[in-house]
Amino acid sequence: MRTLFLSATMLISGLAYAQDSLKTLQLEEVAITAVRASEQAPIPQTNISKKQIEEVYVGQHPIFMLEKLTPGFFSYSESGSSFANYGSFRLRGINQERINITLNGVPLNDMIDQGVFFSNFTDVANNFESIQVQRGVGTSSNGVSSYGGSINFESINLRGKESFSEAQLGVGSFDTYRGNFQHFTGINEKGWGFLTSFSKLTTDGYRDNTETDATSFFLTGGYYGDRDIFKMTLFSARSENGLGYYTIDKSILDQNPRFNNLTTNDKDDFRQHMIQLQYNRFINENWTVGATAYYGGAGGDYIEGTPDVDSVFVENYFAQYQTTFFAINYPLSNDHFGGILNADYSQGKLNLNTGLHAYTFRRENREEVLPDIANPYYLEQSQKDEISWYGKATYNFGKLVAYADVQVRTAKLTISPDYNWIGIASEGDITNDWTFINPKIGVTYDMTNALSLYSSFGRSGREPAKIDLLGGFQLNASNYPLVRAGNNFKEEYVNDLEIGARLNKSNLVIDGNFYYMSFEDEIAPIGDVIAFGLQARENIAKSTRAGFELLWVYSPSKLIELNGNLAYLKSNIENANVAGTEISDKEQILSPDWIVNTQIKVNPTEKLSLGLSGRYLGEQFMELSNNPTFTVPSSFIADFVIEAQVSPSIKVTGYVNNLLDKTYYTYGVPGDVDFSGTTEPGFLAQPDRNFFLNLNIKF
C-alpha cells in the first residue's frame, strides 16, 4: 500500500534512459509525462498504481473508487449504484465541471458543458495502469482548465508484460451482474502487441426505475520499438439507463427511501467512443518528442415518456401543469477532433517540457415530439474551438528544486440559435471569446532523504460552460437577449497557495498540505435546480476556500496496515449578489467541512486479506443563506472486504458496503417534488447494506 504515495515519476521517471527497457517504458508514457506532476513537483497529488487499482476495482465508476483514496473528494450516485448510471463528484467542494479529466493526456471533458459522463463508458478502469489526482490549480494540462483539480488516467503499459487472458465475473445486490474479459497478445518479435477488453454490466439500481444495461469495449496497443512507439487506444461503449436525477423530499424518503419521481418511461440510451493515435520518438538522451491525434464522440436519446398514472407525484404534476401528455425526445450528439504536440528536453539539472493542443468540439441539440423525429421543434448547433500552449521548467539546485509553469489558452464558443423557436428574424451566430494566461511557480526542498517540504502558487482562469451562459439547456425568447448581449456570465479566476510536506520512510508514509484559494467571480451553485436535476450557478464576486489535507500509510508489520486520508475545508463567501439578494460571510453550498477515510487491513496469511474501512462526511449546506433546516446531514459509513487467493490464477473478493445499514445522503437541494406546497430538504438516497462478490480468473 505504500505505493499509494509513490510518485508519478516512479511510473514516468523523466528522461534518464539508462537501459533499453526503461527507454521504451518512458517513451510509451511521454504523453502522460506532459500533463502529470513529477515526484518533486510542489503540487498536492495522489498517485494510484496498477496494483492498487486491482485491489479495489470491481467495475465501479472511477469516481467511487477515488473518493476513498483522495482527500477532499466525495461523490453521489443518482441510482444508488456505484457501478452504473449517473453520478458526479466534488473536490474541495468544487463541482466536477471544473475538474480537468484526461486519458493519456487526451481530454475526456465535454468541452461545451465541461463535465464527464462516466455512465457513457461504464467499466473501463480495468484497463488503467495508473491514476494521478492533483488538487488545486496543479500543473498545466490539455482541455478545460485544471481549476479545482485534475485527474489523469493512464491506459495499461504493455511493455514488459507477458501475454495473458483474464475473466472477471461479479454478482451483487440490486440484481447487479458484471462480466469482463481481457486479453493481451504479448509483444511479438517485430514489436507489435495489443490488449483488448469487453465488459457487460446490468443492474436494477438501488432507487426505483434506475436500471442500467451497459456494454463497453477497450483496445490499446501498437508498435513498440527501441526509439519509436506508435500506440492506438480506443474505447466504444453504450449505456441504457432508467433515470433518477431529481432529489426526493425528506418526508417521502422517510416512507420509501427508494422512491423515484421519474417513471419507467423516463430513460436514455447514450453511446460514447474515442480513438487516440499517439507517436513518440526518442531522439537522443536530451530530446523526446510526441504527437497525438484523437477523435471523441458521444450521442444518444433521452425520452421523457408518458408517465404511470398511478403515481401520486404524476397526478399532482399534471393537475398543475397540463391535462395531456406526449413523449418528448431530447437527442444530442457531439464530435470532438483534436491534436497534441509535445516535447521534453533534459540536460543535467534542467528539465523542460512544452506542449501545444488544439481542438474543435461540435454539438447538435434537438427536441422532438415522438414519433415525429424528422421534424424537431427545436434544433440548435454549437461549436467550441481552442488552441492552448504550455511550457514547464524544473531546475535542480541540489536539495532545492524550482518549478515554473505557464499556460496560454484561447477559446471560442459559437452558438447557432433556432430563430424559429425564439420567434424572431435571424441575427446570426452568437460568439464568445476568451483568453487566459495561467502561471504557476513553486519550490521543493529536501530536508532529509525521507522528508521534503514544498510550496507553490498558481493562478487559473476558466470560461463559463454553455449551460451557465444559457441558464439551462435551451436558448429561447426569455434568455436570448442576455445571451446575445454577452453580459450574463463572467469568467472566473482562482489564486491558489499550497504549502506541504512529504515523509517517506520504510514503514510510514505521510503526505500533508495546507491551502488557501481566493476566487474572483467563482461560478458556484446557489441551491436551485434548473432542469433534469442540474444546479443553477451564479458568479460569486469574492470567495475563499482554505483547509488542510493529510494522507497516511503505516505498516508496523506484514500482518497489519493502517491507511487513510482526511480533509478539512473552510469556505467563505465574502461578497455576492444572487437574484438581487446581497450575501456575505456565508459558507459555500455542498462543501463539507470534514471528510475522513480510514482503513485497517489485516493479512492473516499470504493468501487471505481482511479490510475494514470507515468514511465520515461532514454536514453540507444546501443553499446560500446557510439556513440550518436545509443541510445534508453528516454521515459515517463502514465497509468490509475479504480477499482470498484460492490459487495462483483464481481470486475471490467479497464486499459488504454500508455494513451498519445506515441511512445517509451525500447530496441534496431544497425542493417540493410532490407539489405539497412545502419546500423541504431533498436528497438522492444512497443504498442501505449491500454486497458484491467478484471472481477473478487468469489463464
Side-chain angles (χ1 to χ4, degrees), residues 641-655:
V641 58
I642 178 170
E643 180 181 297
Q645 192 74 45
V646 179
S647 72
S649 59
I650 299 176
K651 182 175 70 174
V652 178
T653 310
Y655 299 83

Side-chain angles (χ1 to χ4, degrees), residues 457-524:
F457 175 82
R459 177 176 172 85
S460 184
R462 171 188 170 272
E463 70 277 15
K466 180 186 170 187
I467 289 176
D468 297 325
L469 296 172
L470 270 58
F473 294 89
Q474 190 186 83
L475 186 60
N476 51 48
S478 63
N479 60 5
Y480 175 79
L482 283 174
V483 177
R484 168 61 72 178
N487 57 6
N488 57 323
F489 244 96
K490 301 176 183 178
E491 58 269 27
E492 60 179 341
Y493 295 88
V494 61
N495 300 297
D496 178 23
L497 175 65
E498 306 280 346
I499 301 174
R502 301 182 179 112
L503 177 68
N504 194 332
K505 302 185 75 173
S506 59
N507 66 341
L508 176 65
V509 176
I510 299 177
D511 192 337
N513 65 282
F514 294 87
Y515 66 91
Y516 180 82
M517 306 176 77
S518 175
F519 298 85
E520 304 161 18
D521 296 314
E522 180 181 7
I523 300 174

Side-chain angles (χ1 to χ4, degrees), residues 138-149:
T139 61
S140 293
S141 185
N142 300 316
V144 303
S145 291
S146 51
Y147 194 77

Side-chain angles (χ1 to χ4, degrees), residues 347-648:
Q347 177 66 53
K349 299 179 179 180
L350 176 67
N351 183 269
L352 301 174
N353 176 273
T354 186
L356 183 69
H357 176 221
Y359 71 78
T360 182
F361 188 96
R362 303 170 185 178
R363 168 181 292 168
E364 178 181 88
N365 282 84
R366 298 164 60 99
E367 296 181 20
E368 54 203 25
V369 178
L370 297 179
D372 190 13
I373 61 175
N375 298 291
Y377 65 84
Y378 180 81
L379 180 61
E380 171 231 292
Q381 309 281 345
S382 51
Q383 178 174 327
K384 190 172 183 182
D385 303 293
E386 178 181 319
I387 297 177
S388 63
W389 169 88
Y390 65 81
K392 304 176 185 180
T394 301
Y395 192 85
N396 192 327
F397 292 93
K399 289 190 174 183
L400 182 71
V401 178
Y403 172 83
D405 178 350
V406 64
Q407 180 192 53
V408 180
R409 292 182 62 237
T410 62
K412 179 179 182 180
L413 175 65
T414 303
I415 303 174
S416 301
D418 185 337
Y419 285 105
N420 290 329
W421 176 251
I422 296 172
I424 63 174
S426 174
E427 296 180 345
D429 293 341
I430 299 173
T431 60
N432 294 267
D433 295 274
W434 301 278
T435 298
F436 301 99
I437 300 176
N438 301 323
K440 302 101 177 175
I441 57 172
V443 294
T444 301
Y445 180 72
D446 294 328
M447 293 191 67
T448 68
N449 290 335
L451 177 63
S452 62
L453 308 177
Y454 67 86
S455 180
S456 64
F457 175 82
R459 177 176 172 85
S460 184
R462 171 188 170 272
E463 70 277 15
K466 180 186 170 187
I467 289 176
D468 297 325
L469 296 172
L470 270 58
F473 294 89
Q474 190 186 83
L475 186 60
N476 51 48
S478 63
N479 60 5
Y480 175 79
L482 283 174
V483 177
R484 168 61 72 178
N487 57 6
N488 57 323
F489 244 96
K490 301 176 183 178
E491 58 269 27
E492 60 179 341
Y493 295 88
V494 61
N495 300 297
D496 178 23
L497 175 65
E498 306 280 346
I499 301 174
R502 301 182 179 112
L503 177 68
N504 194 332
K505 302 185 75 173
S506 59
N507 66 341
L508 176 65
V509 176
I510 299 177
D511 192 337
N513 65 282
F514 294 87
Y515 66 91
Y516 180 82
M517 306 176 77
S518 175
F519 298 85
E520 304 161 18
D521 296 314
E522 180 181 7
I523 300 174
I526 61 174
D528 292 335
V529 172
I530 299 173
F532 308 124
L534 177 73
Q535 278 262 15
R537 297 188 286 257
E538 297 285 350
N539 287 119
I540 306 298
K542 292 184 178 181
S543 60
T544 60
R545 296 174 188 266
F548 63 86
E549 298 158 335
L550 184 68
L551 303 91
W552 65 88
V553 177
Y554 177 54
S555 303
S557 70
K558 292 183 178 180
L559 177 65
I560 189 170
E561 179 183 284
L562 304 173
N563 66 77
N565 60 77
L566 65 82
Y568 173 76
L569 165 65
K570 178 62 176 177
S571 64
N572 182 57
I573 297 174
E574 297 180 8
N575 179 34
N577 187 306
V578 178
T581 301
E582 293 292 333
I583 296 173
S584 61
D585 198 26
K586 300 293 182 182
E587 292 187 25
Q588 290 278 15
I589 71 171
L590 303 176
S591 299
D593 49 1
W594 285 98
I595 303 176
V596 183
N597 290 287
T598 61
Q599 183 189 51
I600 179 170
K601 185 178 179 182
V602 180
N603 306 297
T605 70
E606 291 184 358
K607 297 182 178 181
L608 181 65
S609 174
L610 307 174
L612 180 65
S613 63
R615 176 174 177 81
Y616 174 80
L617 182 66
E619 184 181 62
Q620 310 168 51
F621 287 109
M622 290 185 181
E623 45 78 65
L624 293 181
S625 74
N626 291 179
N627 184 338
T629 301
F630 296 104
T631 61
V632 181
S634 62
S635 60
F636 176 80
I637 303 301
D639 299 328
F640 175 77
V641 58
I642 178 170
E643 180 181 297
Q645 192 74 45
V646 179
S647 72

Side-chain angles (χ1 to χ4, degrees), residues 209 241-243 245-246 261-268 301-309 311 313-315 317-318 322 324-330 368-371 377 532:
N209 308 326
N241 299 294
L243 301 177
Y245 45 74
Y246 281 124
N261 59 353
L262 298 175
T263 75
T264 56
N265 298 300
D266 292 283
K267 56 185 63 180
D268 73 4
D301 300 273
Y302 160 50
I303 298 176
E304 186 177 23
T306 303
D308 300 327
V309 296
S311 167
F313 160 75
V314 169
E315 291 176 354
Y317 182 93
F318 288 105
Q322 60 189 55
T324 60
F325 189 82
F326 40 82
I328 298 177
N329 187 25
Y330 302 89
E368 54 203 25
V369 178
L370 297 179
Y377 65 84
F532 308 124

